[in-house]
Amino acid sequence: MNWLWEHLWGLWILFWLLALVILLLSPFESLGWWSGWNRRGEKPLDEPASGEPREGTFVVYLTGVAGFSGEFLSRRERGFLDRLRERLPDAVIVSDVFPFSATNNPLDGDRLLRALWVWLHHWRLKVPNNVFDLLIIMRNMAQTLVSADPRYGPVYNRGVARQLALALKRAGYARGPVNLVAYSGGAQIAIGAAPYLKEALGCPLRLVSLGGVMTDDPGIRAVDELVDFKGTRDHVMPALGWLLFPGRWRALWFSPWNRARSRMRWECSGAMAHIGGRDYFSQKATGPDGRCHGDISADLVAGVVGVSPF
Amino acid sequence: MFVTSALLWAVSLWLVLPLSLSRCLALVALAHTPLLLGFLTLVPHFGSYMLHVLRAWVLFDLVVAVGVTTGVPLVSAVLSCLPGWLLHFWLTHLRLVRLERLQSWLWRKLT
């Protein structure tokens, strides 16, 4: 313990230096894609749907900043999606898009630091919420900032929108409204990608967020309806978007966010926290009526998504 | 563009202060030292704000440098630096003068 106190300042400086390096390097993945450096074997967007084309309710789930890949979702998130499928049996739910990469390249995909991310992920599976988990979260938060940045955002968000459109087409999307269900930082990515997704598919867009961290991204103009569910124990993370992005402040009435307020709805989801045992997907924590948080969240989201058209 | 506007800033100082042009150029160059941290503007989101902070820092540095060099009171130092800074800001930030077209044309012709 003495060693820790003696080196606290050093560790603190090391943490900020590491954060700075991650932030400085974060735009390069999307910029590299845009420049064509890592554009290998990309499918054209206008390729016909691989499955049987269908209409109906399409839901795309975007995970939060702790996400690792489109294929891997935590057990609680998978439980939530299973519950959502039970409530929306006719809906197509797409969950294989990793929102923190412009090319849907998972952290264990073809990338320079693959070994590091895989090692961290293995640690995370063995010891949940360990300190190294922070590196994955910091990396994904940096990508969220890239999405919100007016300089890098258009490139990044166009890439993500392209991946969303491709995933929808793989699932057989022909036409109709698209529902983006996002958790935490995934909500910002959804807003950023919205104009490009709308341009690619020509569809109405609805965003349903659970504890969404959203910035003043002008992409909000393309969202036809925003429903944000927030738990009464979820104080810090959703407030970050408001704190760091002045366009969310009411005083700036001319900002895209404030102009879109008529299309937004905020609802309380109960005594839910952002992370931990009482989060939005918890299967153990229960509400006053005995339903677990995962059930409550699925009911709320299905209640919104099930109402079509919007 | 940036160098041009910085030179104009030095010229504007030279016009209002009893200093040689080379001295004014040196002061403006010295005041721009904080821009060594300019790489921080690459940081997503926060970098945009950092640019404004660095520019304010440059103005502050020049006011102090002018005050120390000429011995004029603070208000006079601010008033002598401000027109050049506004010109600098106008040319490099607001981009009201479309010098980019001239730059692109020059680049095309030369390459």
Side-chain angles (χ1 to χ4, degrees), chain A residues 145-302:
Chain A
L145 289 173
V146 169
S147 163
D149 190 300
R151 300 165 298 173
Y152 311 122
V155 170
Y156 181 88
N157 295 325
R158 194 175 280 273
V160 174
R162 186 187 149 74
Q163 296 304 326
L164 289 170
L166 285 171
L168 280 163
K169 288 196 170 182
R170 278 198 302 272
Y173 175 84
R175 64 187 177 124
V178 171
N179 298 277
L180 301 168
V181 176
Y183 166 57
S184 186
Q188 160 52 32
I189 308 291
I191 290 176
Y196 307 105
L197 186 61
K198 205 167 197 175
E199 183 187 305
L201 301 178
C203 60
L205 283 175
R206 176 193 278 142
L207 171 59
V208 185
S209 83
L210 293 163
V213 179
M214 290 170 274
T215 71
D216 55 1
D217 197 301
I220 192 70
R221 292 191 191 112
V223 178
D224 297 292
E225 187 183 4
L226 165 64
V227 184
D228 183 28
F229 291 109
K230 188 175 167 298
T232 52
R233 294 183 181 209
D234 188 2
H235 305 294
V236 180
M237 292 306 281
L240 271 183
W242 177 84
L243 193 70
L244 295 176
F245 293 85
R248 295 245 346 238
W249 304 348
R250 273 189 182 273
L252 298 178
W253 51 269
F254 50 84
S255 73
W257 177 271
N258 283 320
R259 286 175 179 221
R261 275 185 187 272
S262 60
R263 302 195 301 276
M264 299 177 189
R265 198 150 49 95
W266 287 270
E267 290 194 15
C268 177
S269 56
M272 297 179 187
H274 200 77
I275 49 170
R278 300 193 61 84
D279 72 355
Y280 293 92
F281 310 118
S282 175
Q283 297 169 36
K284 291 176 186 164
T286 54
D289 57 358
R291 285 180 301 159
C292 72
H293 284 187
D295 273 328
I296 297 172
S297 296
D299 284 338
L300 290 170
V301 173

Side-chain angles (χ1 to χ4, degrees), chain A residues 20 23-24 26 145 149 151-152 244-246, chain B residues 39-49:
Chain A
L20 182 64
L23 280 169
L24 283 171
S26 58
L145 289 173
D149 190 300
R151 300 165 298 173
Y152 311 122
L244 295 176
F245 293 85
Chain B
F39 70 93
L40 291 175
T41 61
L42 294 174
V43 169
H45 177 62
F46 299 107
S48 313
Y49 297 104

Side-chain angles (χ1 to χ4, degrees), chain A residues 13 29 34 37 67 73-74 86 98 100-101 135 139-140 190 219 226 254 263 268 270-271 274 301:
Chain A
I13 290 168
E29 187 181 338
W34 185 252
W37 294 342
L73 287 175
S74 65
E86 284 169 17
F98 180 50
F100 303 102
S101 163
L135 271 176
R139 186 254 169 218
N140 290 344
L226 165 64
F254 50 84
R263 302 195 301 276
C268 177
H274 200 77
V301 173

